[in-house]
Amino acid sequence: MTINEKLDLLEEVLDIKQGTLSEDIELDTLGEWDSMAAISIIAMFDEKYGQTLTTKDVKSFRTVKDITDLME
């Protein structure tokens, strides 16, 4: 999966306009980054990647890159 495909998927999951995310964006600057977004990310990792993320994992995310690095 390319970085653009990962960003597209994150934009879809977080309901963000396509083409607006980049890896250097800090999550706390995104109005869409809230508890529902965290649940959506956990569900996406489970469904798409078979990975189980904990709330501790999600709380450690600081940038979009922190998320895309795990999307393998």
Side-chain angles (χ1 to χ4, degrees):
M1 181 175 266
T2 69
I3 186 59
N4 287 335
E5 291 170 329
K6 291 177 182 181
L7 292 174
D8 287 346
L9 179 58
L10 284 177
E11 289 166 343
E12 182 181 327
V13 168
L14 298 175
D15 197 26
I16 295 174
K17 182 180 174 188
Q18 291 291 331
T20 59
L21 280 184
S22 65
E23 287 191 299
D24 61 338
I25 292 176
E26 293 185 17
L27 295 171
D28 61 0
T29 66
L30 293 174
E32 296 83 2
W33 187 249
D34 57 14
S35 59
M36 288 304 296
I39 291 169
S40 296
I41 293 294
I42 290 170
M44 179 207 56
F45 269 91
D46 183 48
E47 181 181 316
K48 296 275 186 190
Y49 300 101
Q51 297 180 26
T52 302
L53 295 183
T54 65
T55 54
K56 183 179 176 182
D57 295 326
V58 174
K59 286 181 180 182
S60 73
F61 295 152
R62 297 291 172 244
T63 64
V64 171
K65 186 172 183 349
D66 294 333
I67 300 171
T68 59
D69 283 348
L70 290 178
M71 295 171 77
E72 299 293 327

